[in-house]
Amino acid sequence: FFLMQKLRLLELDGLERVKEVELLRSEKEMVDNKLSVTEQKILELIVTNTRLTRQNMNLKSKLEFSIKSRTQMKDRVESLTLEATSMLAMKIASLADARSIVP
């Protein structure tokens, strides 16, 4: 009788442990799934970051080119302005000379 009772207790204990193992497996599967989702999100963020970095570099290049072009245009306008001012001054001087010759 005592052995039968002991055997029954061991059997119940074994069933409890099987249930615990099944529960732990279920929890592990949930954690693995969450980890998989997290890894997927991390990969998506890496891809997004790479794309945004590339776009940022392209925009930076365009901005640098625009600044360089504007600087070149500004320099050209200043040069043309100086040239026009010089030509105008020479014309005024030649007109003044012509007036002094003609009575």
Side-chain angles (χ1 to χ4, degrees):
F1 176 76
F2 179 73
L3 287 177
M4 289 294 283
Q5 196 173 11
K6 187 81 166 167
L7 185 61
R8 195 172 300 256
L9 285 174
L10 285 174
E11 201 174 285
L12 290 174
D13 189 47
L15 288 174
E16 265 186 52
R17 290 185 189 254
V18 166
K19 286 180 184 177
E20 286 178 22
V21 167
E22 288 175 358
L23 182 65
L24 287 172
R25 281 185 184 152
S26 175
E27 288 177 5
K28 181 192 177 300
E29 190 174 313
M30 285 177 21
V31 168
D32 287 348
N33 288 340
K34 285 181 182 177
L35 183 60
S36 178
V37 168
T38 302
E39 288 172 341
Q40 184 64 34
K41 286 181 180 177
I42 289 171
L43 289 174
E44 289 172 8
L45 288 172
I46 289 170
V47 168
T48 301
N49 186 40
T50 302
R51 181 177 46 81
L52 290 173
T53 300
R54 194 175 306 121
Q55 286 178 352
N56 188 30
M57 289 170 55
N58 287 339
L59 289 173
K60 182 181 175 193
S61 294
K62 287 178 183 179
L63 180 62
E64 287 172 347
F65 179 77
S66 176
I67 290 170
K68 185 178 177 184
S69 295
R70 286 177 183 237
T71 302
Q72 289 173 344
M73 283 192 284
K74 180 181 169 251
D75 291 347
R76 181 72 178 137
V77 167
E78 286 177 1
S79 173
L80 290 173
T81 302
L82 286 174
E83 189 178 322
T85 303
S86 175
M87 290 173 68
L88 184 60
M90 287 172 37
K91 280 280 189 196
I92 291 172
S94 70
L95 284 175
D97 284 346
R99 280 195 175 173
S100 66
I101 296 172
V102 175

